[in-house]
Amino acid sequence: MICAVEQLGLIDYADALDLQGEKVATRKAAIIPDTLLLLEHPHVYTLGRSAKRKHLLISEEAAAALGARVFETDRGGDITYHGPGQRVGYPIFDLTQHRRDISWYMRSLEEVFIRVAAEYGILAERIVGMPGVWVGNDKLVALGVHVSRWVTSHGFAFNVNTDLSYFSCIVPCGLRDKGVTSLRRLKGEALEMAPVIQQVIEQFEQVFQVRITAETAASRDALQPDRARLKLANLRI
């Protein structure tokens, strides 16, 4: 099975939501294969479906003064932070082509990053009932997903060189007795992002048993007529 990977660089959170919506629609219509979007966001706090507003410890005005926006979103989970130095991934996967099992999907995402951490000599693990990947009492990778007709969106936030001070303005994932960490903190130095992302891609390939391909500008352009037809069909529904 093919999985296309798109490395998008720094992209605004609102734009990423729009892009995910488009990808989900085209995946449901079988126009595109499974797709993994890899990117970074400018500073932003996002609240999932089960988030408590009080877990944002500052006002939106104070967040704006820090250069951070605040979004409510339809992913699972509570509140988290995204920002530069963190690699965010949005898998747009059709689980009918894998397993119709959300628990399996979440455990598979965790397995990807447990393996990535191991490549850097770090023992990472799961904590029952607390989605994500943990090193001791600190979360290295946050997970929050949405599934519609078995097609996934949202996904993971992997702290690589993340400025962890931004987490002090929230109760991360609503867990007051847990912390956050990063690959940089654990290794004691900043890491080059490209080799880290290559590890993520390789582990996705192994865990999900897919063949990774890089989407090119030409392949995106080739899809435009199908996308136009899809939008027209949606207008007619």
Side-chain angles (χ1 to χ4, degrees), residues 167-181:
F167 285 99
S168 66
C169 298
I170 61 174
V171 180
C173 302
L175 302 172
R176 294 186 180 276
D177 61 341
K178 303 293 183 184
V180 292
T181 192

Side-chain angles (χ1 to χ4, degrees), residues 109-126:
L109 289 177
E110 290 168 346
E111 182 64 24
V112 167
F113 292 98
I114 289 171
R115 295 185 183 193
V116 171
E119 291 293 327
Y120 285 89
I122 295 166
L123 177 61
E125 57 191 352
R126 300 175 179 86

